[in-house]
Amino acid sequence: MKLTLRRQGPSKFEQAADGSMTLLDHIRDLRNRLFWASIGIVAGLIVGFVISKWTFDMLSQPYCSLDTSWAINPVTNKLECRFITLGVADQLILRLKIALWVGLVVGAPIWLYNLWAFIAPGLHKHERKWAYVFVAIAAPLFIGGAVLAFFVVKHSLAFIMDAGVIGGTTQLEVTKYISFVTSMILLFGVAFEFPLILLMLNFTGVVSARKLLGWWRIVVFLSFAFAAIATPDPGPFGMTLLALCLVVLYLIATGVAFLYDRRKGRGKELYAGLDDDQISPLADERVPVGASDPIEAPTPIEAPTPVARPRPLEGRFDDMT
């Protein structure tokens, strides 16, 4: 004898999708989602606190790879990569910050799932399909931007340190250095999501691929301006590399938009190739005037045959008299 467990009634996902959930049910569902998302972040925070020392060693590699960052430890009398701490609790606070960053990454599957489970019932089926695609693309793009940022820090830090006026052995303040590295990683990771915004505008029909390609001058200018203002690296290497990556991603997104427009049959309309300020023609130029079948003359209608009318009654009475 087999025992099968069946759900009694529709699930919360089905209730939210068909609109049968009340406002209080939505609030309770939000409370439960936030609770489990917080549990995931706390669990990731514990893991991050355990591996925070290893994470700090990895983030300090660009600085420790410089010869000017090594100094003799007066206690052990050995060369070590040395940082400076100005506050009593700076090292503990820095470890907690690193643990929080790692915890957000480690606990991302849990809190992202709960966030998606709360939002997804309000979307249509095709909207959920495109959301899966965009999330699957967003994660590799962010990781690619983070790896590129680490590469930029590793190669631009030597230029920044050598361009100074002090020279010799240089020791950096540890909290400012970690903030510099994490800011670069976050900036590059978020900037690499730029093509997703363009694709969303194209997939929703807001702009066409031809219109995106027409913006290339503005995109190149804004990419270099954004990289120059937002990049914490004062050297030209990081700014130029970020701007070039944004331009390349823009071209890739435009190519994908062209393929999507061709697949959907966009651009075949009469006025698809016209600008917003261009006068449209009054007739379809693809069909020459007079090329259609001529209209035949109407068939004449024959006149009806006249019908004899009966004599009036007054004349009949006159004949009888």
Side-chain angles (χ1 to χ4, degrees):
M1 181 178 180
K2 296 182 179 180
L3 296 178
T4 58
L5 298 178
R6 296 182 179 179
R7 183 187 301 272
Q8 299 294 331
S11 62
K12 291 183 178 180
F13 188 91
E14 296 172 347
Q15 291 178 0
D18 59 15
S20 60
M21 287 185 66
T22 62
L23 178 60
L24 292 179
D25 293 334
H26 281 290
I27 295 176
R28 294 190 188 97
D29 185 52
L30 177 61
R31 180 194 60 186
N32 296 332
R33 298 299 180 187
L34 290 176
F35 173 76
W36 288 110
S38 302
I39 292 297
I41 294 176
V42 171
L45 178 64
I46 296 174
V47 176
F49 189 82
V50 174
I51 64 175
S52 58
K53 186 65 172 62
W54 174 83
T55 306
F56 174 77
D57 294 338
M58 182 186 65
L59 294 177
S60 61
Q61 283 183 3
Y63 173 69
C64 293
S65 61
L66 303 177
D67 297 335
T68 56
S69 63
W70 290 77
I72 298 177
N73 191 338
V75 179
T76 60
N77 200 21
K78 295 180 180 180
L79 284 175
E80 295 180 356
C81 181
R82 302 295 301 276
F83 286 96
I84 298 176
T85 54
L86 301 178
V88 177
D90 283 352
Q91 295 192 31
L92 178 60
I93 295 176
L94 180 61
R95 187 172 186 179
L96 292 176
K97 287 183 179 180
I98 295 175
L100 179 60
W101 280 103
V102 176
L104 290 174
V105 176
V106 174
I110 299 177
W111 62 266
L112 282 178
Y113 167 75
N114 285 276
L115 177 63
W116 172 251
F118 181 74
I119 298 176
L123 302 177
H124 296 288
K125 185 177 181 180
H126 67 280
E127 293 174 343
R128 289 197 295 268
K129 181 187 69 174
W130 286 118
Y132 288 134
V133 174
F134 283 123
V135 170
I137 299 175
L141 285 177
F142 187 88
I143 295 174
V147 173
L148 182 63
F150 195 78
F151 174 79
V152 169
V153 171
K154 186 175 181 179
H155 288 79
S156 64
L157 192 61
F159 171 79
I160 298 173
M161 301 294 290
D162 294 338
V165 296
I166 298 178
T169 302
T170 304
Q171 295 184 2
L172 300 180
E173 205 276 322
V174 61
T175 57
K176 292 183 178 180
Y177 170 77
I178 296 298
S179 298
F180 171 78
V181 176
T182 53
S183 298
M184 288 284 290
I185 292 175
L186 183 62
L187 172 65
F188 274 68
V190 173
F192 269 50
E193 308 296 333
F194 169 66
L196 287 181
I197 301 177
L198 299 180
L199 290 179
M200 283 190 290
L201 292 177
N202 176 256
F203 287 3
T204 54
V206 178
V207 292
S208 62
R210 192 177 300 274
K211 179 70 69 175
L212 290 177
L213 186 60
W215 294 346
W216 72 269
R217 296 180 180 87
I218 301 176
V219 171
V220 171
F221 173 76
L222 292 179
S223 298
F224 278 90
F226 171 78
I229 296 173
T231 305
D233 178 14
F237 181 73
M239 178 196 72
T240 306
L241 188 58
L242 177 60
L244 291 177
C245 289
L246 291 178
V247 173
V248 172
L249 291 174
Y250 156 74
L251 295 177
I252 295 175
T254 305
V256 175
F258 268 105
L259 295 177
Y260 184 79
D261 285 354
R262 180 177 298 180
R263 178 175 173 268
K264 290 294 183 180
R266 296 176 181 173
K268 298 181 180 180
E269 296 82 2
L270 174 61
Y271 312 123
L274 300 178
D275 296 331
D276 296 336
D277 55 351
Q278 186 175 354
I279 300 176
S280 60
L282 296 178
D284 193 346
E285 296 179 354
R286 297 171 297 180
V287 182
V289 178
S292 59
D293 296 335
I295 301 176
E296 298 180 356
T299 304
I301 302 175
E302 297 180 357
T305 305
V307 180
R309 296 181 178 180
R311 294 176 61 185
L313 299 176
E314 293 81 1
R316 294 181 182 181
F317 285 110
D318 292 341
D319 296 338
M320 293 175 62
T321 58

